[in-house]
Amino acid sequence: MTSTALRASQLSRYNDDAVLSAPPARLLTMLYDRLLLDLNRAQFAQENANWGVASENLLHAQSIVTELSSTLKTDVWDGASGLLSIYHYAMEAMIGANIYRDVNRTKECIVLLEPLRQGWHDAASQLPVQATVSGTARTNGTLGVG
């Protein structure tokens, strides 16, 4: 194994460990951080007519929104249905941004989701330090939040 491959393997393991040991609030902020990173990368790629990279990032962003939607407990929180509507709208906009190569739809998603990202970070910073997540919250790493 080359030193570059070894380093990549070590970094991947470090990222996996960071995700697997993060408390729930941190996992949520990590997802939002990666979501906005993907959208910003997609916007840059679209502006430079790099459609493959744009598509890859938009598809990854869609995976994150799917995860956020599927884990939202609409029966526990009154505002959950409104947030779910935002996720559905953002998903449609990302699909359109990808199909029609429409950078304006990508920008719209960024404008829509960035305040949510910041709000979740603000809320998480108000929580007391939590114990790490046990092995029950393991993922397969497809979302790449590390």
Side-chain angles (χ1 to χ4, degrees):
M1 181 179 283
T2 67
S3 64
T4 303
L6 178 62
R7 174 78 175 123
S9 174
Q10 290 171 335
L11 182 59
S12 176
R13 182 175 172 115
Y14 173 80
N15 286 337
D16 289 347
D17 289 346
V19 169
L20 294 174
S21 64
R26 179 68 183 125
L27 286 173
L28 180 63
T29 58
M30 291 169 77
L31 280 170
Y32 267 94
D33 288 345
R34 182 56 196 258
L35 173 59
L36 271 296
L37 177 65
D38 288 340
L39 289 171
N40 281 297
R41 285 177 174 171
Q43 177 187 343
F44 182 79
Q46 286 173 316
E47 290 171 344
N48 291 285
N50 191 341
W51 306 117
V53 171
S55 180
E56 180 181 325
N57 282 282
L58 286 167
L59 290 171
H60 193 261
Q62 290 171 44
S63 295
I64 293 171
V65 171
T66 298
E67 181 69 18
L68 291 169
S69 297
S70 69
T71 59
L72 188 60
K73 296 180 180 175
T74 55
D75 59 334
V76 176
W77 174 46
D78 291 340
S81 61
L83 184 56
L84 188 59
S85 294
I86 291 171
Y87 290 156
H88 288 161
Y89 181 84
M91 181 66 81
E92 287 182 28
M94 286 184 276
I95 291 168
N98 203 1
I99 291 171
Y100 302 109
R101 298 179 173 181
D102 186 350
V103 70
N104 289 323
R105 292 183 193 193
T106 303
K107 289 177 183 179
E108 182 180 12
C109 288
I110 293 168
V111 168
L112 180 66
L113 296 170
E114 176 57 35
L116 290 173
R117 186 193 73 80
Q118 188 57 52
W120 286 118
H121 273 278
D122 292 347
S125 71
Q126 308 261 334
L127 294 174
V129 176
Q130 299 174 349
T132 59
V133 175
S134 69
T136 60
R138 298 189 188 276
T139 65
N140 63 8
T142 59
L143 293 180
V145 296

